[in-house]
Amino acid sequence: MMRIILADDHKVVRNGIRLLLETQPDINIVAEAESGEEVLALLSNNSEVDILLTDMNMNGIGGSELMRAMCTSFPDIKVVFLSMIDSDQEVKEVMSLGAKAYMLKNADYDELLFALSHVGKGGQYLSSEISIRMLQSLGSKQVKPEPEQVLRDLDLSSREYDVLQLLVNGFTTKDIAEKLFISKRTVEGHRQKLLDKTTSKNYVELIRFAINHQLID
């Protein structure tokens, strides 16, 4: 059971998130707060909390200051930010301070649940939109080989190349199957071949490879 404090200074937002999360049998919303100060006061009286799910920009202390206070006073509580603030600098700052996840409020319900579950098991998570943008920024700062030579070396088929383009642009297996008029199993086969040919261990490494080698249209 994940015991969560939900913090957001908009009651309508809190109510909506609570309704969604309470449908999960392994999640318990133990308290709500509308400011960082209220979060710290709640935790001073009850530290039996696993995760703080909080907005970045609330009345009173900001996200970075709250994160510092959490690290000092409640280091065992995992902090997950769910915010409208889409600034790489601020994301990097709170993650460097010890936050376990950062998601944008336009994330869908399934992604939020996955992030909470992943953090609950000891992992870290960045929303897919932020991850792809940061990887693109990283790739733009590196010396890149000629993409034509990379494609020849990889020996990608035209279909594999199409699948790669769609994957990097955030399309799901189902979306790709519908766009290319092929089965989901065929898409999964192409994905595995792309991982094998690029020697990527996972999807994030595959995206990084594509960006670094300028294989994106």
Side-chain angles (χ1 to χ4, degrees):
M1 177 68 69
M2 286 187 289
R3 299 164 297 181
I4 296 176
I5 284 183
L6 176 58
D8 195 294
D9 56 358
H10 294 93
K11 187 174 182 180
V12 172
V13 174
R14 288 202 315 273
N15 288 344
I17 296 173
R18 181 171 192 138
L19 286 172
L20 288 173
L21 296 183
E22 284 185 336
T23 64
Q24 302 301 305
D26 59 344
I27 291 179
N28 179 25
I29 307 296
V30 297
E32 294 183 28
E34 58 182 23
S35 69
E37 290 87 348
E38 190 175 351
V39 167
L40 298 175
L42 285 169
L43 290 173
S44 295
N45 296 318
N46 177 21
S47 59
E48 292 186 0
V49 175
D50 302 304
I51 293 176
L52 167 63
L53 177 58
T54 181
D55 194 0
M56 183 75 170
N57 186 24
M58 298 185 290
N59 294 324
I61 63 175
S64 297
E65 189 177 349
L66 175 59
M67 192 64 240
R68 291 188 180 92
M70 291 295 296
C71 289
T72 301
S73 303
F74 309 102
D76 294 332
I77 297 176
K78 302 175 177 70
V79 180
V80 174
F81 284 96
L82 181 64
S83 179
M84 291 295 292
I85 296 178
D86 188 10
S87 162
D88 289 352
Q89 182 178 351
E90 297 201 49
V91 173
K92 290 175 182 176
E93 182 174 9
V94 293
M95 294 299 286
S96 69
L97 289 171
K100 297 301 181 183
Y102 196 105
M103 304 191 66
L104 301 179
K105 283 186 175 177
N106 62 3
D108 62 33
Y109 178 45
D110 290 335
E111 188 177 10
L112 175 59
L113 287 180
F114 175 82
L116 291 173
S117 175
H118 192 58
V119 167
K121 294 173 183 176
Q124 293 181 295
Y125 188 81
L126 282 178
S127 69
S128 55
E129 185 176 335
I130 295 173
S131 297
I132 290 173
R133 189 176 67 238
M134 285 187 172
L135 287 172
Q136 288 173 331
S137 175
L138 177 64
S140 67
K141 298 175 183 177
Q142 298 178 353
V143 177
K144 303 176 180 67
E146 290 296 326
E148 295 80 6
Q149 183 60 49
V150 174
L151 289 173
R152 286 194 293 270
D153 292 342
L154 292 175
D155 192 27
L156 294 186
S157 69
S158 59
R159 183 61 82 196
E160 288 166 354
Y161 182 74
D162 291 340
V163 170
L164 178 62
Q165 295 295 310
L166 293 170
L167 283 172
V168 171
N169 282 285
F171 289 92
T172 65
T173 297
K174 181 176 180 292
D175 293 334
I176 295 171
E178 292 175 352
K179 280 184 170 294
L180 300 181
F181 304 102
I182 55 180
S183 69
K184 289 191 289 186
R185 179 173 294 182
T186 300
V187 175
E188 289 166 358
H190 287 315
R191 288 180 63 160
Q192 187 58 53
K193 287 182 180 178
L194 287 167
L195 290 172
D196 293 341
K197 288 184 177 182
T198 60
T199 64
S200 300
K201 295 178 182 178
N202 51 49
Y203 175 57
V204 173
E205 284 194 9
L206 179 60
I207 295 176
R208 183 185 293 119
F209 184 95
I211 292 171
N212 287 346
H213 293 85
Q214 294 182 296
L215 302 183
I216 307 168
D217 288 339

